[in-house]
Amino acid sequence: MRDAEDAERIAMAVYVDALTPARWRYRYACHMGADSREELVRFAGALGMQNEWLSSSTGRHREHFDLTPAMRRLAVAAGAVELSRREFSAKMRISR
């Protein structure tokens, strides 16, 4: 391990799902989520994302960021774990 940043990257649990066709200005998009809001916001901030881009939790799912293909590549390069859409949904589901 090179330094504290590497250790933090390994300890953080941040996930991205697969790119899918989007209904907004970008043709494809995906989601980025984490085991905790703190981890998600810290990781997103390191990528240059703003907190106001965070999509609030609604119903059964946790907060997440919508990512463009370019941001997804950056997230994966920074250590985000790639999951299928189904795996991501299961991971982000809030237990009741």
Side-chain angles (χ1 to χ4, degrees), residues 26-74:
Y26 300 100
R27 290 184 184 199
Y28 291 90
C30 74
H31 302 101
M32 180 173 73
D35 289 336
S36 74
R37 183 181 199 278
E38 181 181 280
E39 288 174 313
L40 179 59
V41 169
R42 181 183 292 159
F43 192 89
L47 297 177
M49 300 181 76
Q50 298 174 21
N51 287 347
E52 49 270 11
W53 298 347
L54 183 66
S55 295
S56 297
S57 58
T58 56
R60 302 178 319 213
H61 294 93
R62 298 176 198 245
E63 297 170 310
H64 67 277
F65 284 92
D66 295 321
L67 301 183
T68 63
M71 286 304 295
R72 185 183 190 282
R73 285 190 296 275
L74 286 175

